[in-house]
Structures are given as structure tokens and as C-alpha cells.
Amino acid sequence: MNLIRAILLGVFLIALNSVYSQLGKSGNKDRICRICMGSGIFANYIFKTQIDREINYLVYIVGYANNREIHRIGKPLAVHRLFLRLGAEHNFKHPIIALKVGVGCQPFKNLYTQIAENIIFILLILLLVFIPMKIKPKFSIIFFIGTIIFVNLISIIIYQFNFYLDSLFSSITATVIFMTSLYFKYLDENMIAIENDKKQSILKKEREIAGEVQKKLFPNNKKIEQYIFAKNTPAKDVSGDYYDYYQINDNEIYFILGDVTGKGIKAGILMANAAAVFRSLAKMNSSVAKTALYINNQVKDSSYQSMFITAILGRGNLEKKEMEFINMGHEPMMVLDEKFNFEYVKSTLPPSGLMAVKDESFFKTTTMDISNKTILIYTDGVTEGYIDEGKELEVEGLEKEIKKLNTTSPETIINHATKILTEKGFTLRDDITALGIKL
């Protein structure tokens, strides 16, 4: 029974001390004294034990010490003397209890706590001004929250030793400083983003110009297109694929289709280099082997980071209905007859530009009769392009599409293949280039 009374007494005193503390902050000491005196009557009514008088004096002493003498004296030794004196005057049997309750309910604030507050305040300013400027915003927020929690933990720990450290002002100030720091970082990053956008805009215009220049390299000869048709759809502004054809006389047409490793401006520049060599030698009516030799060595000398070209190079004879060609590491060439039978001619040589070659005999050509046949040469952007979500066209798919069309016209086949690879708006994995021959 005495244990229960002691527990109830402790709870009562803790609640009472909270009331004293809140009223003490507003400076209403007269009201506090009246509450202290009236609390003894309340305690007598609740507990009705032999320690009624001790409760009454205990409550009075706690309230008196909290709101008058402690604020005035501010030293534990003086508080100890105060409780001993009050306990003796009022015949209180346990003044040390009053001492513990009185001192524990109202923590001290002295010179040392003020110095600690100033140090924490300065550290917060330095940390929250400079560190958020150096790290990413999401890490800045984590750092800020951790800092506020750490400061308040210090305040709670010090509170356990009856010292009061004001963390509210520091927390509010830290929040303002942190938000200001983030704002200035946002301004800096925004300026950088604007500058980058300007640079990207300039580069985009330059790429568009390069793409327009590259398109000028593609042939545009309606007379030859009745025998040879080709089309290029770049994945970026500048294509790494290339095709060309050139009629050297009334009976012969040179052609080439190539694919540079990679995409973009670097691939386009290398392909333009090879195109210049092809056009120059075609005008000179150079042999297929010799043309392949010069293109190979030129690509080898001017390639960047070991870039190379896969290509099919040849010339067709309109009178004989035959074609002499050479496949340098390119995709197999499709041969289609009138009955939609498909054959494929694989590469016999490595890609152009991998190594220097001194003798044109290295490039052995093949001659094929292509009467009543359609030759289809394409890059891997055709067979590896998406026609549906995650579904590539592939060689088998291309054959099915040709059979659906029920035609062997190079122009119709190439335009249809380009359409199904681009109509659904999927991002192109690679340039789409195809060249068809039907003599």
C-alpha cells in the first residue's frame, strides 16, 4: 500500500512540476505560489495518509524553489542549502527528496551552456553553408536531417544532467541557412544547365548541318534507279551507313553499300572519306579489286580508335545481266528469284580498314549471273530493327514481308521494310540502309 502511495505521489509531483514549469516561463510567479499552497490541500484530499503535512510542504518547497530561489541563485550548492533550511523550518523529514525533485525539474542555464550553444550555432552555420554546396541535393537533405537530430540529441543528453541547452533557435536558424544554401545551389546549377542547353543547341544545329551535307553524298539519278534503288534512314542526325552508285558508261554501273562501326559524326566522317575514294576510282573506271584496295588502306590510315567498315562493293553489267562484287565482312547478300526462292552470299574477306594491304590480288571478286533475279544488300539496322515491342524483324521476317508484297521490285521492298521499322515510333537501334539491284 505504501508503494502504491509513493508511486501516486511521484506521478502527482511530476505533473505538478510541469504546471510550474509552464507557468514559470510566462513569469506569473504570484499564480505559481497560490497553486503551490493549494496543491497541499489537493494532496491531503487524495492521499489522506500520515505524510499529509510532508506532501504539503514538499509541494510548496518544489514550487518555491523552482520559481523563486533557483532562478535567482542558479547554483546547485545554494539550492541544496535552500532545501535544508526550508525542510528544517517546516519540520520536513526528508528534505533531500525535495532537493532531488526541485533540482531535477528545472535544469540550469549558465555561462557554459551559453558557450556550448554558441559553438553549436557556429558549427551549424559552417556545415550547412558549405557542405550542401558540394554534394547532391538528396544527400544534402539527409545531411541536414541528421544534423538537426544530432543537435537535439545533444540537448536531450545534457538535459539529463540538469543543464538546459537551447536547440530550438539553432534548429530554426539551421533550417533557414540550409534552405538558403540550397536556393543558391539551385541558381548555380540552373545557370550551368542553361549554358549546357545553349551548347547542346549549337551542337545539334551543327549535327543537322553535317547530316544535310551527308545527304548530298547520296546519289540522285532517276535514270539509274530503274536498275538500282537505295534508301538510308539515320538513327541520329549523321549516319554511319553509306551507299553510292555511279554509271561509268552506258553498260556498267558501280555500286557500294557500307556500314561503319558506331554511329554519329565520327562514323559519318569516316564514311565520307571512303565515299570520296569510291567516287574518284569509279570515275576512273578502276577495277573492283583495286577500288577495294584503296578504300581499305584509306580507312586504315584515317580511322579513329580502330574503326572499320563492312561493305559490299561491285559493278553490274546491264548487257550481260551479271554482277562482279566483293563482300568485305558485311551481312550476307540476299539473292531473290521470281519464284521467291532466297539465297545468301556470305562474306569472304575481313572488314575494310582492319589492316593495310599492299596487293590488290588479296581482294578476290565473285561474278554472278543475276538475270531474272533481285539482289538485296542491307545493313544490320534492317534485320535487327524493332517491328513491335521487343521484337526484331530478322531475316526470316524480311522474307515473310517480301512474300506478302508478292513483288521482287527493289524499290517496293526497301520502302516497305523502312516503313514497318519506323511507323510505330520505336527508337532506332541503328541506321537503316538497303540497296537493291535488278538488271
Side-chain angles (χ1 to χ4, degrees), residues 53-187:
R53 187 180 54 168
E54 277 104 344
I55 294 174
N56 187 21
Y57 288 127
L58 175 62
V59 172
Y60 175 78
I61 292 169
V62 171
Y64 183 81
N66 268 329
N67 299 283
R68 289 178 179 267
E69 296 296 333
I70 286 182
H71 289 290
R72 182 178 65 81
I73 300 171
K75 294 182 180 181
L77 182 60
V79 174
H80 183 266
R81 291 174 180 171
L82 169 68
F83 280 113
L84 290 177
R85 175 171 58 81
L86 291 175
E89 288 177 359
H90 299 284
N91 195 23
F92 188 62
K93 294 181 180 180
H94 303 286
I96 192 64
I97 298 176
L99 173 64
K100 291 180 180 179
V101 174
V103 175
C105 294
Q106 187 70 32
F108 300 114
K109 188 176 181 68
N110 54 27
L111 177 63
Y112 299 108
T113 58
Q114 291 177 353
I115 292 174
E117 287 177 2
N118 292 331
I119 292 174
I120 292 174
F121 179 72
I122 294 172
L123 289 175
L124 279 176
I125 292 177
L126 295 176
L127 292 175
L128 294 177
V129 166
F130 294 106
I131 292 183
M133 298 292 289
K134 303 296 182 181
I135 58 179
K136 295 181 179 180
K138 61 179 181 180
F139 297 126
S140 298
I141 295 173
I142 295 174
F143 175 77
F144 166 71
I145 295 174
T147 303
I148 296 300
I149 292 174
F150 179 73
V151 170
N152 284 275
L153 281 176
I154 292 177
S155 178
I156 293 172
I157 292 172
I158 293 177
Y159 186 87
Q160 303 303 314
F161 295 94
N162 298 319
F163 289 99
Y164 178 66
L165 193 66
D166 187 4
S167 61
L168 179 61
F169 175 75
S170 297
S171 299
I172 295 174
T173 306
T175 303
V176 174
I177 292 173
F178 174 72
M179 297 302 295
T180 305
S181 178
L182 279 186
Y183 174 72
F184 282 108
K185 184 175 182 179
Y186 165 77
L187 292 180

Side-chain angles (χ1 to χ4, degrees), residues 227 250-252 316-322 369 371 439:
Y227 306 110
D250 293 338
N251 198 39
E252 291 183 309
N317 190 300
L318 301 179
E319 183 180 355
K320 296 181 180 179
K321 304 290 183 180
E322 64 181 21
D369 181 9
S371 56
L439 302 181

Side-chain angles (χ1 to χ4, degrees), residues 110-375:
N110 54 27
L111 177 63
Y112 299 108
T113 58
Q114 291 177 353
I115 292 174
E117 287 177 2
N118 292 331
I119 292 174
I120 292 174
F121 179 72
I122 294 172
L123 289 175
L124 279 176
I125 292 177
L126 295 176
L127 292 175
L128 294 177
V129 166
F130 294 106
I131 292 183
M133 298 292 289
K134 303 296 182 181
I135 58 179
K136 295 181 179 180
K138 61 179 181 180
F139 297 126
S140 298
I141 295 173
I142 295 174
F143 175 77
F144 166 71
I145 295 174
T147 303
I148 296 300
I149 292 174
F150 179 73
V151 170
N152 284 275
L153 281 176
I154 292 177
S155 178
I156 293 172
I157 292 172
I158 293 177
Y159 186 87
Q160 303 303 314
F161 295 94
N162 298 319
F163 289 99
Y164 178 66
L165 193 66
D166 187 4
S167 61
L168 179 61
F169 175 75
S170 297
S171 299
I172 295 174
T173 306
T175 303
V176 174
I177 292 173
F178 174 72
M179 297 302 295
T180 305
S181 178
L182 279 186
Y183 174 72
F184 282 108
K185 184 175 182 179
Y186 165 77
L187 292 180
D188 292 340
E189 291 183 349
N190 191 45
M191 291 298 295
I192 294 173
I194 292 173
E195 292 296 325
N196 289 336
D197 286 342
K198 291 180 180 178
K199 292 179 181 179
Q200 291 297 324
S201 178
I202 294 172
L203 290 174
K204 184 178 180 180
K205 289 181 179 179
E206 292 178 350
R207 290 195 300 268
E208 290 175 352
I209 293 173
E212 293 298 324
V213 171
Q214 187 185 48
K215 289 178 182 178
K216 299 294 183 181
L217 298 175
F218 295 130
N220 184 16
N221 190 326
K222 297 296 183 181
K223 183 180 178 181
I224 301 177
E225 285 183 0
Q226 61 180 315
Y227 306 110
I228 298 179
F229 180 83
K231 190 172 185 178
N232 169 262
T233 303
K236 295 184 177 180
D237 297 313
V238 180
S239 175
D241 292 352
Y242 171 73
Y243 70 86
D244 196 4
Y245 43 80
Y246 183 78
Q247 188 168 6
I248 57 177
N249 53 51
D250 293 338
N251 198 39
E252 291 183 309
I253 301 174
Y254 265 87
F255 67 89
I256 185 174
L257 183 142
D259 183 4
V260 180
T261 53
K263 297 179 286 294
I265 294 178
K266 292 183 293 184
I269 291 174
L270 184 60
M271 184 54 74
N273 203 349
V277 176
F278 167 79
R279 181 58 70 97
S280 299
L281 292 174
K283 289 180 178 180
M284 295 170 60
N285 197 12
S286 175
S287 66
V288 174
K290 187 176 181 179
T291 303
L293 172 68
Y294 278 93
I295 291 176
N296 176 83
N297 291 340
Q298 181 62 34
V299 172
K300 173 62 179 176
D301 293 338
S302 59
S303 66
Y304 174 75
Q305 292 183 345
S306 301
M307 297 174 69
F308 57 86
I309 298 176
T310 64
I312 295 180
L313 166 68
R315 63 179 175 180
N317 190 300
L318 301 179
E319 183 180 355
K320 296 181 180 179
K321 304 290 183 180
E322 64 181 21
M323 182 179 74
E324 180 188 9
F325 67 94
I326 184 171
N327 188 335
M328 297 179 286
H330 198 71
E331 298 285 320
M333 182 176 68
M334 178 187 289
V335 182
L336 171 66
D337 61 19
E338 297 293 335
K339 296 181 180 180
F340 297 99
N341 297 314
F342 297 90
E343 295 181 9
Y344 295 90
V345 181
K346 295 183 179 180
S347 171
T348 56
L349 290 170
S352 181
L354 283 181
M355 58 183 179
V357 179
K358 296 181 179 180
D359 193 348
E360 65 182 76
S361 62
F362 177 82
F363 298 95
K364 295 180 180 180
T365 63
T366 302
T367 301
M368 176 187 295
D369 181 9
I370 59 171
S371 56
N372 299 320
K373 293 181 180 180
T374 298
I375 306 299

